[in-house]
Amino acid sequence: MTYSVAVSGASGYAGGEILRLLASHPDLEIRTVTAHSTVGQPLIAHQPHLRSLAHQTLQDTTPEILAGHDIVFLALPHGQSGQYTEALGDTPLVIDAGADHRLTSQESWDAFYGGHFHEPWTYGVPELLVGGAKQRERLVGATRIAAPGCNASTVSLSLAPGVAAGVIDPSDIVSVLAVGPSGAGKSLKTNLLASEILGTANPYAVGGTHRHIPEIQQALKDAGAAGPVRISFTPVLVPMARGILATSTAPLADGVSDAQIREAWETAYGDETFVQLLPAGQFPRTADVVGANTALMGIAVDRAANRVVVVTAVDNLVKGTAGAAIQSMNIALGLPEATGLSVNGVAP
């Protein structure tokens, strides 16, 4: 069976990455691409790397144009995709790459986003530990999927094994992330100009204000945190187009050995294709995951500080967004999970 697909926000970074991955998916036909300010223009004018889709023209993002497809991807700014939910009620599968359907708590939504709160959808991080199982089980047969926030899924995957196994204390998490500017989208912003980011590292959303914080807390609670999940989360913008390098630390539980700590992560990810734990003493680089749907992870035990240190690298546009969405789509449709996705990056 071939599924027909529409992709909204097709002229942006997330939409473009969804299209790049879908273009090599054997079970899908990209039938419609939509946008807003670029309606009527060739897709190739905004995504010149997508040569196989040069025949596509950007249409208006309306419910009427998006309807009638088997699958719709919404790659729109936060607060915009929710308006299409009811209008796409007859669409078999809708996947939102924005934040509108990620959070289960309206209180958290109001505090970090504001505006209308929409119902939560099935969270699109298959490898995430949830109640002793994996989120993948909830994705089977799903008809509405919320793709994750890239920073949120990176930190959640980093620490969920320790939380689930009870070997770390999630009440004192510290995460510092080096991130590329593509995570902020394609809209022109002064602070993202090359002259502003080249040769410098710039912290932002400092002091507990980043919108991905409640998403991380939600995921770690679902992983089995018995008490509060408290996190100091600081992203730092660095001059690389793609990538996240997340360094996350948390206190060790009383009496756990180094072997027990590593075993928690090996048990969680030993059989996973797209989340890979590196050998002891090795840590990932963002360069190793560019273009890949892979999260590479290194773990260390800092006994002097009594903390675990987890360093995880992902491509924010692939495993952080588009790849996670398509991986979740494959599971929902009953297709082989890795279809259209690769563990191999691009180098140099």
Side-chain angles (χ1 to χ4, degrees):
M1 177 178 179
T2 299
Y3 297 91
S4 62
V5 179
V7 177
S8 68
S11 60
Y13 287 139
E17 193 69 359
I18 290 169
L19 288 168
R20 183 181 74 87
L21 297 175
L22 292 179
S24 60
H25 197 296
D27 301 301
L28 304 178
E29 176 197 356
I30 301 171
R31 185 175 296 173
T32 303
V33 294
T34 77
H36 284 290
S37 60
T38 56
V39 170
Q41 299 177 23
L43 173 68
I44 202 74
H46 299 274
Q47 307 288 8
H49 60 300
L50 300 180
R51 308 312 299 179
S52 67
L53 301 177
H55 60 286
Q56 292 280 0
T57 299
L58 292 163
Q59 302 182 54
D60 196 9
T61 301
T62 66
E64 294 75 19
I65 290 175
L66 293 175
H69 298 80
D70 297 315
I71 306 167
V72 172
F73 286 86
L74 300 172
L76 302 172
H78 304 320
Q80 292 190 20
S81 56
Q83 64 185 300
Y84 298 100
T85 301
E86 184 175 347
L88 295 174
D90 293 332
T91 301
L93 177 58
V94 182
I95 302 171
D96 184 15
D100 291 28
H101 297 279
R102 292 174 189 159
L103 298 182
T104 59
S105 165
Q106 182 170 352
E107 182 180 357
S108 294
W109 175 266
D110 292 342
F112 284 85
Y113 290 93
H116 185 67
F117 176 73
H118 298 278
E119 65 172 333
W121 289 356
T122 306
Y123 194 51
V125 184
E127 302 90 351
L128 196 63
L129 289 158
V130 179
K134 292 286 182 73
Q135 181 66 10
R136 141 181 318 110
E137 296 182 14
R138 300 185 179 190
L139 285 162
V140 175
T143 62
R144 297 293 183 269
I145 296 172
C150 53
N151 299 311
S153 60
T154 305
V155 175
S156 298
L157 287 168
S158 296
L159 296 175
V163 170
V167 298
I168 64 172
D169 175 5
S171 69
D172 183 22
I173 297 167
V174 177
S175 290
V176 179
L177 294 77
V179 302
S182 59
K186 208 171 186 179
S187 299
L188 293 176
K189 301 178 182 71
T190 300
N191 68 307
L192 299 181
L193 294 173
S195 57
E196 300 290 335
I197 66 170
L198 293 179
T200 184
N202 306 317
Y204 67 98
V206 178
T209 61
H210 197 283
R211 289 173 166 178
H212 286 176
I213 289 173
E215 192 176 334
I216 297 167
Q217 292 173 318
Q218 176 177 292
L220 294 183
K221 287 176 182 175
D222 288 344
V229 176
R230 299 189 183 94
I231 178 169
S232 174
F233 178 92
T234 307
V236 180
L237 193 66
V238 298
M240 59 182 180
R242 293 169 176 253
I244 296 172
L245 187 71
T247 301
S248 302
T249 78
L252 303 175
D254 293 338
V256 297
S257 67
D258 289 14
Q260 287 174 308
I261 295 163
R262 185 166 182 87
E263 183 183 4
W265 274 261
E266 289 178 341
T267 300
Y269 300 135
D271 295 329
E272 292 291 347
T273 299
F274 295 119
V275 180
Q276 300 183 12
L277 181 65
L278 297 178
Q282 294 186 22
F283 299 91
R285 310 177 305 165
T286 56
D288 300 329
V289 294
V290 172
N293 191 51
T294 313
L296 293 182
M297 193 175 297
I299 183 171
V301 178
D302 184 346
R303 283 293 174 183
N306 197 43
R307 299 178 76 89
V308 68
V309 181
V310 184
V311 182
T312 304
V314 304
D315 183 324
N316 58 293
L317 292 178
V318 189
K319 186 56 176 168
T321 306
I326 291 169
Q327 185 182 347
S328 299
M329 176 203 73
N330 287 336
I331 296 169
L333 296 175
L335 301 172
E337 188 171 330
T339 305
L341 301 169
S342 178
V343 296
N344 296 324
V346 178

